[in-house]
Amino acid sequence: MTGATVRLEGVRIGLGDHLVLSDVSLVIPAGSFLAIVGPSGVGKTTLLRALAGTVPLREGRLSIERPQDGSAPQVAFVFQEPRLLPWLRTSENVALVAPGRSASERRQRAYAALAAVHLPERAFSAWPRQLSGGMAQRAALARALVTEPDLLLLDEPFSAVDALTRLRLQDYLLELWERFGFTAVLVTHDVDEAVYLADRVVLLGGRPATVQESFAVDVPRPRDRGDARLAALRARVLGALDREAGEPIAAASGQ
Amino acid sequence: MALQRLSASARDEPLSRTRRERVPTGKLTRWVVPWIVPALIVAGWWGIVAAGWIPSYQLPPPQTVLRTSREMIAQGELLAHLVATLQRLSWGYLLGAVPGIAFGTLTGLSPTLRRAVDPTVQGLRAIPSLAWVPLFLLWFGIGEQARVLLIALGVFLPVYFNVLAAISGLDWRLVEFAQVYRLGRWRTLRFVLIPGALPGVLTGLRAGLSLGWMFVVAAELIAASSGLGFLLVEGQSTMRPDRVLVALLSFGVLGKLSDSVLARIERVVLAWRETIGSVQEAEATP
C-alpha cells in the first residue's frame, strides 16, 4: 500500500437529466490527504461515488494509478453510517472483504485490521447491533483497511458520532493514514476536521458544481488542534463556504 | 444509577451472548403458571356438564372426550385422519410456498415486472381466498387435486406478498456497499440479498402455514372422506360432539407444533436480530 495518484480532468457528471458536476479538474498526489467541503447537496458525495466507480462520467477523464506498477488500484469506501451487515459478526464483516486464499488467513487479517483501529477484542465476535456508534464506525474503518486500499474514500464518516468520539476517530484515521500510506479523500461538513486532517482542502460550489477554491494546509504534522495557523485557515475556508452558500452565517446559525 | 449498573454488568459479563430477561421466579412456578388457565377451563367445562347446565349430547364432559380420543387412537382411526390431513397440507404448502418465493423474488427484483404483475395480484388479494372454493371445485372436481390446489392457493398469497415486500424492501445502502467493495454476484447474493430478505421470507412462510391450516379445513369440510376436517363434518352429522372436539384439539396441537418448528428455525437463522445486550466501550482508549 503506497497510495494511488488520482487525476480528474474536465469531469462532468449527471444524474438523470440534472447535471451535478461540471468541469472538475483535480490532481490528488499519491499518499496525500484531500478534504472536500461545500454546501449541502452540492455533489460532494457524487464526486466520491465517481471515484469509487459507482457513478459513470458524462465527460472528462478519471484515472487512479498506483505509482509503482500499472496494476489495478484498490479503492475502499467508508460511508456516513457503518453499513456493517447486521447478520454477520463484526469480525466476519471485515473478513468478508479481506484478501487471502483461505478463510483462516482472511480471519487473521480481519483481526489485525480490527486491532489496528483499537477495537476492544471482546467486540470482535459481537453483532454489529451491539456496538456503539463509534465502535461500529471503527469496525467500518477496519473493513476498509483490510482491503489494503491505495485510495480510501470517506463520506462524512464521523458526522453521526458524538463530539469526543469524533475527535478520537479523527486521530485514529490520521494514525492509520500515516502508517499505511494510502491516498485519502474525505468529504466533510466539518471545517475543523478538514483543516486538521488534510494536506489540502477544496471547496466545491456552484450549479453544476466545480472546484471553486483550493486551500493548502501548510502546517507540519503532528498538528495541534489549537494551532493558530489552523484557526486562521479555518476562518478562510468558512468565509469561502459562506460566500458559496449565499447566505450570511449569522442568519443560518440563528435558526 | 440504573444506567451505571447496567454498563458495569455488561463489562463483567462475557459479551455477544444473547441475554434474556431474567424472570425472578422459581423453575416450578415458571412451568406451572401457563397451565393454570387451561386447568381452570377444563374444570369449568366439567362442572358445567356435571351440573347439567348443558346436556352432554351437546357438550360431552372432558373424560368422554378423553375416552373417545383414546379409542380413536387405539383403532388407528385418528392417525389415519391425521396422516390424510398432513399429507394434503404438505403438498399444498409445497405447491404454494415454492412458487410464492419464486414469483415474489422475481417481482421483487424487477421493477418492470412488479409494475406489470403486482396491481393484478393486489386486486386478487381483495377477494377473500375462501371465495375461490366453488370455482376450484368446478375446475378441478372434488378430488384430491382440487383440495391440494386450494391449499396451495391459500399458502401462495401470503408467501408471495411477504417475499415481494422483503426483496423490494432490501436496504439499498448495503447493496451499494456490495458494489463498492466489489463483492461480485454470488457473494452479494449469499451475504447481502438472501440474509436481508430472510426475515420477510420466514414471516411469509409462517403466515402461509397458518393460511394452509385454514384451507385444509375448508377443503376437507366441503369434499373429503378422510382427514380431520372430514372428522368435524362427520361428527356433526352423526351427533358426536366428542369426535368433533377430538378433531378440534388435534388441529390445535398440530397447528401449534408446526408453527413452533418454523419459529425455532426463525430463532436460529435470525439470531442476529435477537440480541439485546450491547458491547460497552472500554475505558478511554488512546
Side-chain angles (χ1 to χ4, degrees), chain B residues 93-107:
Chain B
Y93 193 64
L94 202 69
L95 287 177
V98 172
I101 292 176
F103 283 109
T105 307
L106 283 178
T107 40

Side-chain angles (χ1 to χ4, degrees), chain B:
Chain B
M1 271 316 267
L3 208 86
Q4 270 176 0
R5 217 178 314 130
L6 194 78
S7 61
S9 71
R11 208 166 290 146
D12 297 337
E13 260 176 74
L15 291 160
S16 82
R17 286 272 112 194
T18 305
R19 263 176 292 141
R20 284 168 204 288
E21 207 183 318
R22 286 272 148 70
V23 187
T25 44
K27 216 170 187 170
L28 191 73
T29 347
R30 226 178 327 146
W31 285 103
V32 167
V33 168
W35 292 100
I36 294 176
V37 174
L40 284 178
I41 290 176
V42 172
W45 169 12
W46 181 82
I48 287 169
V49 180
W53 290 345
I54 298 178
S56 62
Y57 68 84
Q58 279 182 343
L59 182 65
Q63 62 270 29
T64 310
V65 175
L66 201 65
R67 191 175 350 106
T68 309
S69 61
R70 234 186 267 135
E71 281 166 20
M72 289 169 74
I73 292 170
Q75 287 158 13
E77 192 187 359
L78 190 61
L79 188 69
H81 288 304
L82 269 174
V83 169
T85 295
L86 282 177
Q87 225 162 36
R88 261 169 221 143
L89 181 65
S90 313
W91 278 115
Y93 193 64
L94 202 69
L95 287 177
V98 172
I101 292 176
F103 283 109
T105 307
L106 283 178
T107 40
L109 287 178
S110 153
T112 324
L113 199 61
R114 186 154 69 241
R115 266 195 296 281
V117 176
D118 202 45
T120 315
V121 185
Q122 294 288 353
L124 289 178
R125 182 152 98 156
I127 304 171
S129 20
L130 284 176
W132 291 98
V133 173
L135 200 59
F136 266 61
L137 294 182
L138 273 178
W139 285 348
F140 305 106
I142 51 169
E144 192 64 21
Q145 205 188 13
R147 289 190 281 267
V148 169
L149 283 175
L150 193 63
I151 297 162
L153 175 74
V155 173
F156 173 81
L157 291 173
V159 173
Y160 169 81
F161 289 122
N162 278 289
V163 172
L164 170 60
I167 301 270
S168 52
L170 278 169
D171 191 347
W172 66 267
R173 295 173 308 174
L174 296 182
V175 178
E176 193 194 24
F177 150 73
Q179 263 174 9
V180 169
Y181 279 83
R182 289 163 222 256
L183 284 194
R185 260 161 201 274
W186 163 244
R187 284 197 304 163
T188 302
L189 191 71
R190 163 77 181 77
F191 292 106
V192 181
L193 300 182
I194 291 179
L198 210 53
V201 173
L202 287 173
T203 307
L205 286 177
R206 275 178 87 175
L209 185 65
S210 82
L211 261 282
W213 279 109
M214 189 151 11
F215 275 73
V216 160
V217 180
E220 292 181 347
L221 280 181
I222 293 153
S225 52
S226 63
L228 293 173
F230 164 74
L231 207 56
L232 291 172
V233 188
E234 182 232 37
Q236 182 215 351
S237 56
T238 56
M239 298 280 275
R240 292 288 303 274
D242 50 333
R243 287 169 69 88
V244 173
L245 283 167
V246 170
L248 278 182
L249 289 174
S250 311
F251 270 126
V253 170
L254 285 181
K256 180 71 195 150
L257 273 181
S258 56
D259 188 59
S260 25
V261 168
L262 281 189
R264 171 64 62 86
I265 293 176
E266 203 171 272
R267 254 214 313 285
V268 172
V269 176
L270 304 183
W272 55 272
R273 287 206 312 189
E274 294 254 319
T275 46
I276 327 162
S278 68
V279 178
Q280 298 294 318
E281 184 72 77
E283 293 306 312
T285 23

